[in-house]
Amino acid sequence: MAQSLDSPLGAETVNGDGFGIGWYPTGAVAGSIPSVFHSIEPAWNDENVRELSRSIHSPLFFSHVRAAGGPPIQRTNCHPFRWENWLFMHNGFLGEYAKVKRDLTFAIDPSLYPHLMGTTDSEVMFHLAITFGLVDDPVKALSAMVEHIERVGREHGILFPMQGTIAVADGATIWALRYSSQGRSRTLFHSVDIPTIREMYPDAERLATFGEHAHVVVSEPLNDLPGVFVEVPEATIAILDKEGYHHEPFRAAA
């Protein structure tokens, strides 16, 4: 809720055009089916999310606050998007999307087309990633998705077709990507491990509420405590699994 009202590192400092939450069941593994809740209310003004937050327990949450950049404010345009056991959300945009929308949509596997419910570039990106093999190799599929977007964009004379950060999960692992065609991507951070934070701030009582394996991936830090959040570098994918984080360089498929 705090970032819906004040996002100082974001392109839009207020994100009041709806929000969404996705969560996996307790004991989730790769393949577990998540639940989702979407609303066109501003996150700070929705009483339902306050009720949900008091009663839902999950090992893996996705949450997204939206600032509409063109597509209408409606529930089907709120992230995260879900397909089978996969959740996907995106912070950014495709350059001059109206020029490439038709070509990108037609590249989606026909069997997936009926699953497109909204009108955002983000949902098209998700279904392109599925088309290019997200289930078998998420990193390779995201790379192929970006390559296709950039190729189609440049065929239409768009200098910088891709911008943004992406998060995708299968129930056990999170892949968080920071990439843009211009090399000036939206910000992306993740927390360091809880034992390290406790060593740095032994008197911070609120840290007692977090489990040993708690992690957060965010578009910008949730506090200003030095050392708590690590910035994901440009053109990098951060992968979080039961072993913790590791970073891999990211490039569009050749």
Side-chain angles (χ1 to χ4, degrees):
M1 287 191 184
Q3 287 193 354
S4 65
L5 278 168
D6 183 21
S7 178
L9 297 184
E12 300 83 13
T13 55
V14 176
N15 296 270
D17 297 326
F19 70 96
I21 303 171
W23 65 94
Y24 288 89
T26 301
V29 296
S32 296
I33 304 300
S35 299
V36 292
F37 174 82
H38 296 134
S39 173
I40 59 172
E41 294 280 345
W44 67 79
N45 192 48
D46 193 295
E47 295 181 359
N48 290 316
V49 74
R50 299 180 187 276
E51 295 295 322
L52 291 171
S53 65
R54 283 195 283 261
S55 59
I56 293 175
H57 298 271
S58 171
L60 200 169
F61 281 97
F62 264 32
S63 61
H64 185 278
V65 290
R66 184 168 184 249
I73 300 170
Q74 58 192 48
R75 276 201 296 269
T76 53
N77 283 343
C78 293
H79 310 219
F81 301 104
R82 176 181 61 188
W83 179 77
E84 296 185 349
N85 63 299
W86 294 86
L87 289 176
F88 177 101
M89 55 189 181
H90 169 228
N91 175 29
F93 61 91
L94 299 186
E96 300 184 66
Y97 179 55
K99 290 184 178 180
V100 297
K101 179 179 179 181
R102 181 180 183 277
D103 288 353
L104 294 182
T105 303
F106 274 29
I108 294 171
D109 187 290
S111 67
L112 295 171
Y113 187 80
H115 190 257
L116 281 169
M117 297 288 109
T119 59
T120 64
D121 52 358
S122 303
E123 190 179 14
V124 168
M125 292 167 63
F126 182 29
H127 287 79
L128 284 172
I130 300 168
T131 298
F132 292 136
L134 183 69
V135 172
D136 299 319
D137 189 332
V139 175
K140 185 177 180 180
L142 291 171
S143 178
M145 176 201 73
V146 171
E147 185 279 330
H148 185 75
I149 289 169
E150 292 190 320
R151 178 170 53 81
V152 171
R154 286 168 181 153
E155 288 173 355
H156 287 265
I158 301 168
L159 187 59
F160 302 120
M162 170 71 190
Q163 164 63 256
T165 56
I166 291 170
V168 62
D170 67 352
T173 302
I174 296 174
W175 293 265
L177 168 64
R178 184 184 183 197
Y179 179 86
S180 66
S181 306
Q182 192 176 10
R184 298 176 61 185
S185 301
R186 301 286 176 90
T187 56
L188 184 66
F189 294 81
H190 65 71
S191 60
V192 301
D193 62 272
I194 290 295
T196 298
I197 298 175
R198 287 175 177 157
E199 287 181 9
M200 291 190 293
Y201 300 99
D203 298 326
E205 295 182 2
R206 59 183 174 175
L207 293 176
T209 63
F210 295 97
E212 292 292 308
H213 303 291
H215 296 90
V216 182
V217 182
V218 287
S219 58
E220 56 191 77
L222 300 178
N223 58 52
D224 57 3
L225 293 176
V228 172
F229 286 93
V230 174
E231 185 170 8
V232 176
E234 181 73 41
T236 298
I237 189 162
I239 302 171
L240 172 61
D241 57 24
K242 63 181 181 180
E243 304 300 327
Y245 290 104
H246 68 276
H247 293 180
E248 295 182 3
F250 180 86
R251 60 178 58 88

